[in-house]
């Protein structure tokens, strides 16, 4: 994404702020996050604050509002049209069983899924819409969305700000870290589901091994 970053640095301060707002806002609302991760613009916004092109507070505000608003739109789209959109995806690409598992996972994790999804590029484009499809209460979504959006945006803006002239290396690390977090999340969720399955299997086996209670009529008939 270096070409995008280099192009952003040639823009004036106002246009950079617009990009800092729009890229995070479009990540989940139009699924732009699959192509261009929002942290690219947010890190560059921090660099422009370091260079004095923009005020740090303005970059922070644009990034935070863009992140929160974009995910809120993604949630609304998922709630209203999510199931219809998912049905249009060919089953060979996205199996119905995987959709059901994703809904179940979000239902069990609740708001924690919103917060965790904010820090992984691939999940940022999906989690808000899936929360809407899963009928998560908007109040729950909004609280965790605001918390996750504020922490994420502030972290990446300050990353660019303190990196200064070394922003190229920091940008590369940030993109790599996002995908690493996706991998870690998948492994962690897979491990939890495996452990849950084993626990349920052991519980079922113990239940089947328990001796049946004697019938009340039989118990009375053997009494002297």
């Amino acid at each position: 994404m270096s070409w995008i970053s280099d192009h952003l640095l040639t823009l004036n301060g106002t246009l950079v702020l617009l990009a800092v707002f729009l890229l995070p806002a479009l990540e989940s609302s139009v699924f732009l996050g699959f192509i261009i991760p929002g942290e690219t613009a947010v890190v560059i916004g921090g660099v422009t604050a370091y260079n004095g092109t923009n005020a740090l507070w303005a970059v922070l505000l644009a990034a935070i509002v863009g992140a929160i608003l974009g995910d809120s739109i993604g949630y609304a789209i998922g709630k209203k049209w999510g199931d219809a959109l998912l049905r249009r995806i060919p089953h060979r690409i996205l199996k119905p069983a995987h959709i059901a598992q994703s809904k179940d996972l979000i239902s069990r994790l609740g708001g924690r899924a919103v917060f965790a999804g904010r820090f992984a590029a691939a999940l940022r484009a999906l989690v808000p819409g899936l929360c809407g499809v899963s009928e998560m209460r908007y109040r729950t979504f909004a609280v965790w969305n605001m918390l996750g959006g504020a922490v994420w945006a502030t972290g990446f803006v300050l990353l660019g700000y303190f990196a200064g002239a070394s922003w190229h290396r920091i940008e590369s690390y940030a993109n790599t870290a996002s995908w690493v977090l996706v991998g870690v999340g998948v492994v962690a969720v897979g491990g939890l589901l495996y452990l849950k399955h084993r626990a349920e299997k052991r519980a079922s086996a113990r239940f089947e091994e328990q001796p049946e209670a004697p019938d009340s009529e039989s118990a009375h008939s053997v009494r002297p």
Side-chain angles (χ1 to χ4, degrees):
M1 297 298 171
S2 294
W3 65 273
I4 297 175
S5 305
D6 292 334
H7 183 67
L8 287 173
L9 285 173
T10 65
L11 302 176
N12 63 46
T14 303
L15 290 178
V16 170
L17 287 178
L18 184 62
V20 170
F21 168 79
L22 281 179
L23 260 69
L26 296 175
E27 273 193 309
S28 59
S29 57
V30 299
F31 307 109
L32 185 67
F34 287 117
I35 304 170
I36 305 174
E39 62 257 26
T40 298
V42 176
V43 169
I44 295 304
V47 175
T48 63
Y50 167 83
N51 293 335
T53 305
N54 284 310
L56 180 59
W57 68 266
V59 178
L60 286 169
L61 181 63
I64 292 171
V65 173
I68 294 173
L69 182 61
D71 280 14
S72 297
I73 294 173
Y75 172 91
I77 291 172
K79 191 174 181 66
K80 189 164 186 178
W81 297 295
D83 282 323
L85 292 172
L86 290 173
R87 282 195 294 269
R88 291 177 178 271
I89 300 175
H91 290 175
R92 66 178 181 275
I93 298 175
L94 187 60
K95 297 180 179 179
H98 293 165
I99 297 174
Q101 289 171 1
S102 299
K103 290 181 180 180
D104 180 62
L105 182 63
I106 287 177
S107 296
R108 284 187 282 113
L109 290 178
R112 290 171 294 176
V114 181
F115 184 85
R118 164 51 58 184
F119 294 89
L123 296 180
R124 277 200 302 275
L126 287 174
V127 169
L130 286 174
C131 288
V133 172
S134 304
E135 298 293 333
M136 178 185 290
R137 286 199 317 164
Y138 182 72
R139 181 181 300 176
T140 300
F141 174 84
V143 170
W144 286 94
N145 179 36
M146 287 188 286
L147 179 61
V151 172
W152 173 84
T154 301
F156 278 105
V157 168
L158 294 180
L159 195 63
Y161 180 79
F162 290 116
S166 303
W167 66 268
H168 264 299
R169 186 173 12 170
I170 296 298
E171 180 198 24
S172 175
Y173 290 160
N175 290 336
T176 302
S178 292
W179 285 106
V180 169
L181 285 173
V182 172
V184 171
V186 168
V187 171
V189 170
L192 289 173
L193 291 176
Y194 173 73
L195 291 174
K196 181 184 177 185
H197 175 71
R198 287 198 58 180
E200 291 175 348
K201 195 172 181 180
R202 286 197 299 267
S204 176
R206 285 197 301 268
F207 178 78
E208 291 175 357
E209 291 172 0
Q210 288 178 355
E212 294 185 2
D215 184 72
S216 58
E217 293 183 2
S218 300
H220 284 300
S221 63
V222 297
R223 288 181 183 177

